Amino acid sequence: MAENFYRHAKAYDIAFSDREYKIECDFLEWAFQNHGRLDLKLNEKNFLELGAGPAQHAREMAKRGWNSTALDLSPDMLKYADDESRKEGLVLNCVVADMSEFKLNTKFQLAATLMESISHLVTNEQIISHFKSVAESLIQGGVYVIEATHPMFFFPDNEPNTWHSKNEEMEVEVTFGNPDDFYDSITQQWTTSTIIKIKDGDKSWETYETKSQIRWYLAQEMKALIELSGDFELCYFYGSLYSLPPQNFDHSEKSDAMVIVLKKK
């Protein structure tokens, strides 16, 4: 997400508070159990969330007995994630790094990039480097799950993508993408508008606006890039994180995402 959004980690967390993180983590464990070559009942289970933001998934996995690591480019996001984890009595390892290229000392059985964060990798070189970094961090037979935008949503609607969220302390309105955002058909990159409006308690509304480069991947090019990286043995496509057994990746209304499950060679 854009830089100004990252600086307001609490607002970001509230903006996505409608996500059902427990159900999404059920899918992650299902993917590991059904597509990995490792026993889910390991004495030590290590989970890595990439582009983690407030690290809701890493925190939920920590509650389930996984040793969780959250990796993100934003120190503000990771500080917030660490503070929230401590409030919940959880241990969370936070790593400030670029998910396009990183190296970690720990080896993981399960990794995930969720909430369409893969779209911030905007060149073939970046995403191939990303796949190689993830593979290097996984144990052989480990699983990597990606939640990307469904190709049917490749072109935006004719209205701004705006939503409103609040809790007892703060109201947040987010616009991520306007109909007039520029699309470069050569680089396949959108110059995406991000506007965040925040009302903290009795304070006046504050507005922050920026633009960032985004790339939404089509299924066939994603397959080709995964194969080109040469690091993963199997590739499965599903249509949602919200159903088990998983929803088929198709054109139906229930297929609302492009969920990719990879197994390291």
Side-chain angles (χ1 to χ4, degrees):
M1 194 63 72
E3 183 181 358
N4 278 335
F5 208 166
Y6 269 140
R7 292 175 181 171
H8 301 278
K10 184 176 180 179
Y12 179 103
D13 205 14
I14 293 170
F16 292 97
S17 59
D18 62 335
R19 298 274 299 207
E20 298 185 66
Y21 296 104
K22 291 182 180 180
I23 294 175
E24 294 172 15
C25 288
D26 287 345
F27 182 95
L28 296 181
E29 290 193 318
W30 178 92
F32 177 77
Q33 192 169 33
N34 286 271
H35 293 311
R37 274 205 310 268
L38 298 163
D39 186 355
L40 186 61
K41 298 179 181 179
L42 296 168
N43 292 329
E44 183 175 78
K45 301 182 294 183
N46 297 321
F47 170 71
L48 172 63
E49 183 177 8
L50 296 148
Q56 285 279 8
H57 298 92
R59 286 150 56 188
E60 174 61 28
M61 295 297 276
K63 294 175 185 177
R64 302 180 183 209
W66 290 78
N67 301 318
S68 286
T69 296
L71 184 149
D72 199 280
L73 191 59
S74 168
D76 293 320
M77 280 290 183
L78 291 180
K79 183 182 184 307
Y80 174 85
D82 184 59
D83 290 344
E84 293 301 300
S85 296
R86 292 176 187 275
K87 290 177 186 177
E88 296 177 284
L90 302 172
V91 176
L92 182 67
N93 181 35
C94 295
V95 178
V96 178
D98 188 334
M99 68 176 182
S100 68
E101 186 175 5
F102 60 91
K103 188 173 181 62
L104 302 175
N105 294 326
T106 303
K107 295 293 184 180
F108 299 86
Q109 289 87 9
L110 177 61
T113 300
L114 303 165
M115 299 174 67
E116 303 180 2
S117 295
I118 201 75
S119 65
H120 295 289
L121 302 174
V122 296
T123 68
N124 291 353
E125 291 78 11
Q126 281 183 328
I127 197 162
I128 290 172
S129 174
H130 168 80
F131 285 139
K132 290 187 175 297
S133 294
V134 174
E136 179 64 26
S137 300
L138 287 172
I139 293 172
Q140 184 178 9
V143 167
Y144 178 37
V145 179
I146 303 166
E147 180 194 14
T149 305
H150 195 295
M152 75 171 76
F153 305 123
F154 187 85
F155 289 101
D157 296 330
N158 293 324
E159 297 181 357
N161 177 25
T162 300
W163 69 95
H164 183 271
S165 304
K166 66 179 180 178
N167 64 9
E168 62 278 2
E169 301 174 4
M170 183 180 291
E171 290 185 58
V172 181
E173 183 181 283
V174 177
T175 297
F176 184 64
N178 279 313
D180 59 353
D181 283 343
F182 175 70
Y183 175 65
D184 187 326
S185 58
I186 296 176
T187 64
Q188 294 182 242
Q189 295 178 29
W190 294 91
T191 302
T192 305
S193 303
T194 303
I195 304 169
I196 179 170
K197 298 180 180 179
I198 303 170
K199 189 178 189 303
D200 192 354
D202 295 330
K203 297 179 182 177
S204 300
W205 283 92
E206 296 183 0
T207 301
Y208 306 90
E209 182 173 359
T210 191
K211 293 183 182 293
S212 57
Q213 299 306 114
I214 297 293
R215 179 180 178 182
W216 287 301
Y217 290 87
L218 300 176
Q220 297 305 312
E221 69 178 340
M222 184 61 86
K223 283 183 179 180
L225 290 164
I226 292 165
E227 291 173 4
L228 189 59
S229 76
D231 294 306
F232 295 98
E233 180 179 342
L234 293 174
C235 179
Y236 302 89
F237 280 72
Y238 297 108
S240 178
L241 294 171
Y242 288 97
S243 60
L244 291 176
Q247 167 67 35
N248 290 334
F249 179 54
D250 53 30
H251 297 93
S252 68
E253 290 184 2
K254 293 183 178 179
S255 184
D256 57 11
M258 181 168 69
V259 180
I260 307 165
V261 181
L262 306 176
K263 180 169 69 175
K264 182 185 174 180
K265 290 181 179 179

